[in-house]
């Protein structure tokens, strides 16, 4: 129950897996146990030192540990190497289909009635959908204002209240990696849910599996730009995630990586053209692709 134990099979080319709770014996000739508790303890100590202002070199860490993305990686490793998290919801197994679009700009497009609106079109028009902001989109977009996005069809392997395992077989059109943000729509539905890709796996050449975490039941398409940028700065597509009182989750803004800066003031343009001011307050999550943060309206 302490977690931090992984089963490594020596008779196959497969990655380690968290030790099953029901396993009470391991064949030492075909498998070994790997403990990450020592790594987790050291990582926790180093992370605490960084937060206390100790220089990375004094903690046997590279200078990159000064940066927030490096510390986010340390926190994620600590989460997986330390005590194993217990599943909060039971998974249901059944076969159904979903549509997925990946990337802030693709989600923005579908939330806005499959069109780009107002000032956000300037940001989309200047960058091809397959480039910029580190995003990988299921997209047929061109750098024109009339750019469109095409969702990809996936099958649900299993589902719980917190996430899903999805699969795509044979005609795989997806370019996707862990850390992507995506929109998820059930077959026959018009409602887009917001999710984050947590893992990607391909055990077969003609099959791709995804593990996704649902982070919001909906979102609003908005456009933002730094308030200090003046008229020279372009509005960029962003997402506004709603408050979820049951989860004690405050409203968040989702932007491409690098867009967050504590106490930075932004202008926000809504679909109807109304512009308001808000200030970034607290970073919620940062991946290789996007950042989400809480804010206060100005």
């Amino acid at each position: 129950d302490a977690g931090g134990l992984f089963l490594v099979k020596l008779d196959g080319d497969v990655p380690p897996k968290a030790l099953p709770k029901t396993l009470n014996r391991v064949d030492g000739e075909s498998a070994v146990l790997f403990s990450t508790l020592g790594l987790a303890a050291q990582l926790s100590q180093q992370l605490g030192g960084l937060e206390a202002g100790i220089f990375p070199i004094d903690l046997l860490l590279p200078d990159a540990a000064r940066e927030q993305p490096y510390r986010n990686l340390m926190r994620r490793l600590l989460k997986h190497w330390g005590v194993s998290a217990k599943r909060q919801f039971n998974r249901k197994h059944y076969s159904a289909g979903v549509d997925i679009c990946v990337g802030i700009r693709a989600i923005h497009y579908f939330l806005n009635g499959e069109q780009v609106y107002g000032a956000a079109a300037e940001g989309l028009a200047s960058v091809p959908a397959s480039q910029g902001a580190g995003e990988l989109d299921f997209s047929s977009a061109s750098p024109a204002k009339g750019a469109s996005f095409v969702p990809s069809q996936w099958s649900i392997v299993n589902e719980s209240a917190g996430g899903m395992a999805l699969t795509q077989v044979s005609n795989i059109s997806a370019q996707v990696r862990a850390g992507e943000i995506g929109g998820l729509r059930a077959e026959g539905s018009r409602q887009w849910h917001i999710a984050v890709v947590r893992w990607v796996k391909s055990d077969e050449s003609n099959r791709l599996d995804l593990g996704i975490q649902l982070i919001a039941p909906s979102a609003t398409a908005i456009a933002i730009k730094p308030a200090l940028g003046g008229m020279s700065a372009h509005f960029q597509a962003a997402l506004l995630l709603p408050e979820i009182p049951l989860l004690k989750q405050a409203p968040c803004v989702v932007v491409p990586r690098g867009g967050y800066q504590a106490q930075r003031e932004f202008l926000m343009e809504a679909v109807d053209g109304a512009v308001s001011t808000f200030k970034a307050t607290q970073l919620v999550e940062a991946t290789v692709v996007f950042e989400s943060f809480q804010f206060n309206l100005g």
Side-chain angles (χ1 to χ4, degrees), residues 67-148:
E67 305 299 327
Q68 194 63 47
Y70 194 98
R71 300 186 188 190
N72 292 335
L73 173 62
M74 293 178 69
R75 292 188 184 95
R76 189 166 294 278
L77 290 174
L78 183 59
K79 177 181 177 181
H80 290 285
W81 287 351
V83 177
S84 299
K86 290 181 172 58
R87 189 179 300 283
Q88 294 180 319
F89 306 99
N90 293 326
R91 290 198 178 278
K92 298 178 180 179
H93 296 264
Y94 62 93
S95 179
V98 294
D99 293 331
I100 288 185
C101 63
V102 172
I104 293 174
R105 288 178 287 119
I107 301 170
H108 191 283
Y109 173 82
F110 286 104
L111 290 177
N112 192 44
E114 301 189 12
Q115 60 180 345
V116 180
Y117 76 89
E122 300 173 11
L124 180 59
S126 62
V127 182
S130 59
Q131 302 174 10
E135 293 185 3
L136 293 173
D137 295 319
F138 297 139
S139 165
S140 61
S142 67
K145 283 191 177 183
S148 62

Side-chain angles (χ1 to χ4, degrees), residues 232-287:
S232 60
H234 292 304
F235 277 93
Q236 292 188 343
L239 306 174
L240 177 61
L241 305 187
E243 178 184 12
I244 306 178
L246 288 178
L247 300 179
K248 297 181 180 180
Q249 182 172 306
C252 292
V253 172
V254 179
V255 297
R257 179 180 175 180
Y260 168 78
Q261 184 176 325
Q263 302 305 310
R264 191 179 197 180
E265 289 192 349
F266 291 88
L267 298 179
M268 177 195 303
E269 183 184 59
V271 175
D272 61 5
V275 177
S276 56
T277 304
F278 70 93
K279 179 181 293 185
T281 57
Q282 181 177 344
L283 184 68
V284 175
E285 180 171 6
T287 74

Side-chain angles (χ1 to χ4, degrees), residues 169-188:
V169 182
S170 63
N171 297 323
I172 298 176
S173 59
Q175 281 188 306
V176 63
R177 55 185 167 175
E180 296 280 3
I181 189 166
L184 184 77
R185 179 178 65 182
E187 286 184 338

